[in-house]
Amino acid sequence: MNKKAYLLIIMMLLMVLSACANTSANSTDDVKIMRLANVVSDDRSLSKAFYKFKEIVEEETKGSIQVEVFTNAILGGDRQIFEGLQLNTIQGATMSTGPISQFEKHFTIFDLPFLFPDEDSAYKVLDGPIGQELLDKLPEQNIIGLNYWENGYRQLTNNVRPIETLEDLQSLNIRTLENAMHLKTWNTLGANPTPMNYGELYVGLEQGTVDGQENPVGNVVNSNFYEVQDYLTKTNHIYNASPFIISKPFWDSLTGEEQEIVASAADEVMEYQREVNRQESEEGYNLLEKKGMEIIELSEEEREKFREAVEPVYDNYRQNFGGDLLDQILSEID
């Protein structure tokens, strides 16, 4: 059975389960089933946050909302999960802004390289009016955006050589997201980006289909990339926010009180998840060193060369999307 057929069967099964659950709920105690999905392992902070959310919501609603957690791409990749939210076969999810931008183009701005110099700058923008303005565009996609969790800064790993300078990066074959901004960034830096499904990445690295990849350190640890990669360079090239998003049909089915509980739980869990993610990153670097990976810190001089090299990416963004929103963000973090 090919992958598309497998995913189609999953989606059909979820639709049947959803219909059965709704019928059962309406005929008995009006219990609402909320399925949460992501593509990362149970060990990642984003998955731990799901279980925290489940605990809070089920307790606060006294069981009127039952939360089911599906991690590790069990219900499909980011695109399939987003489409499941639109169809209400999945009721909640978190994913990086890159996949979301394939549906709502304004989120593209968050994938500009070296946009946020640190987490506090990112939080200032995401938790303020600019972040809310973008979340407010999601109902057009039949989705409600509640807030921004985080996947963290993306780092570069490879199995060819230590990347200490921009010149070291030239012609390196790097797996990246199926995202135009990411592809443009790596092309501009002189690498050869290759889009690849995350579920196929370990084998691609093991077989040498690609030389390296870029992901938050938590993914490097939990996907065991250290087994097939020798070097990690702390590039911090893109900060990945991971919005917590809800199916609009499901949201509309909740009572006002239930909506308040879900929104409040999402905010509480956001703070928890960000803290756990920071701890996860710190511990991740220590573990990778113990596993034999060489961790490389870019000098500030080299980091500035990287920033200067991606200026054409910003020019391209302005040409395609205009500069108003970008200028607002830059003024917030100056």
Side-chain angles (χ1 to χ4, degrees):
M1 183 183 298
N2 62 38
K3 188 173 182 180
K4 288 186 177 179
Y6 175 72
L7 290 174
L8 180 60
I9 290 172
I10 287 178
M11 297 303 290
M12 291 175 66
L13 177 60
L14 282 173
M15 291 178 73
V16 171
L17 289 172
S18 181
C20 292
N22 288 339
T23 300
S24 174
N26 290 334
S27 62
T28 55
D29 299 325
D30 199 26
V31 172
K32 293 159 184 165
I33 304 299
M34 186 179 189
R35 298 180 186 86
L36 304 181
N38 66 29
V39 300
V40 299
S41 72
D42 258 3
D43 294 332
R44 286 268 359 234
S45 60
L46 292 167
S47 296
K48 292 176 181 177
F50 274 175
Y51 291 107
K52 180 79 168 176
F53 177 86
K54 169 183 170 69
E55 177 185 324
I56 295 170
V57 168
E58 291 184 347
E59 179 178 352
E60 293 295 321
T61 63
K62 297 179 173 58
S64 71
I65 298 176
Q66 292 292 315
V67 179
E68 299 175 355
V69 175
F70 299 88
T71 61
N72 211 31
I74 291 174
L75 299 186
D78 286 324
R79 173 173 284 275
Q80 288 76 30
I81 290 172
F82 195 94
E83 291 171 345
L85 290 170
Q86 292 176 311
L87 295 170
N88 196 27
T89 55
I90 297 170
Q91 287 71 46
T94 185
M95 65 183 65
S96 295
T97 51
I100 294 174
S101 69
Q102 307 305 304
F103 296 86
E104 173 42 68
K105 65 180 183 180
H106 292 87
F107 280 85
T108 300
I109 196 165
F110 292 137
D111 286 292
L112 280 167
F114 305 106
L115 178 63
F116 296 120
D118 51 52
E119 286 94 344
D120 288 340
S121 298
Y123 301 158
K124 183 178 180 181
V125 171
L126 296 170
D127 299 343
I130 295 174
Q132 188 60 51
E133 178 183 337
L134 268 69
L135 293 178
D136 288 343
K137 297 182 182 297
L138 288 175
E140 298 174 14
Q141 299 296 325
N142 214 27
I143 282 171
I144 300 294
L146 292 184
N147 56 19
Y148 295 88
W149 299 0
E150 71 177 9
N151 206 4
Y153 277 104
R154 301 182 78 86
Q155 315 294 359
L156 174 65
T157 73
N158 85 98
N159 202 37
V160 177
R161 55 183 173 267
I163 305 300
E164 299 176 334
T165 68
L166 187 59
E167 289 71 26
D168 293 333
L169 190 58
Q170 305 311 296
S171 301
L172 201 69
N173 296 317
I174 299 173
R175 176 270 177 184
T176 188
L177 295 173
E178 296 181 43
N179 177 285
M181 185 71 74
H182 287 240
L183 293 169
K184 177 78 172 173
T185 295
W186 288 108
N187 274 318
T188 302
L189 289 171
N192 297 324
T194 301
M196 183 183 295
N197 185 288
Y198 186 76
E200 301 168 358
L201 179 52
Y202 184 95
V203 173
L205 293 168
E206 184 178 40
Q207 296 179 347
T209 306
V210 287
D211 301 320
Q213 61 85 48
E214 44 86 47
N215 258 296
V217 65
N219 286 358
V220 178
V221 170
N222 289 317
S223 293
N224 300 330
F225 291 153
Y226 54 82
E227 296 176 348
V228 288
Q229 298 277 270
D230 291 335
Y231 311 103
L232 182 147
T233 302
K234 290 185 178 181
T235 49
N236 282 4
H237 53 277
I238 291 175
Y239 170 83
N240 265 166
S242 191
F244 183 57
I245 49 183
I246 305 290
S247 170
K248 188 175 184 299
F250 174 75
W251 179 259
D252 291 342
S253 75
L254 301 179
T255 66
E257 182 181 4
E258 287 170 336
Q259 288 180 349
E260 288 181 9
I261 290 171
V262 168
S264 176
D267 286 341
E268 180 177 344
V269 171
M270 178 187 74
E271 299 295 339
Y272 162 83
Q273 189 272 328
R274 288 176 177 177
E275 176 60 30
V276 172
N277 196 65
R278 284 192 290 272
Q279 295 173 2
E280 182 179 270
S281 295
E282 293 172 8
E283 294 168 0
Y285 291 120
N286 293 331
L287 176 63
L288 293 178
E289 284 188 310
K290 290 179 181 177
K291 294 292 185 179
M293 287 193 81
E294 181 179 342
I295 309 297
I296 297 109
E297 295 268 5
L298 288 177
S299 68
E300 190 51 44
E301 181 181 357
E302 279 303 319
R303 193 175 297 280
E304 186 58 32
K305 289 181 181 178
F306 274 70
R307 293 192 193 101
E308 291 175 357
V310 298
E311 286 180 5
V313 180
Y314 280 73
D315 294 338
N316 182 263
Y317 176 87
R318 290 181 183 277
Q319 290 172 8
N320 289 310
F321 297 97
D324 291 348
L325 183 58
L326 176 57
D327 289 337
Q328 288 180 50
I329 291 177
L330 294 177
S331 66
E332 282 283 327
I333 60 181
D334 277 347

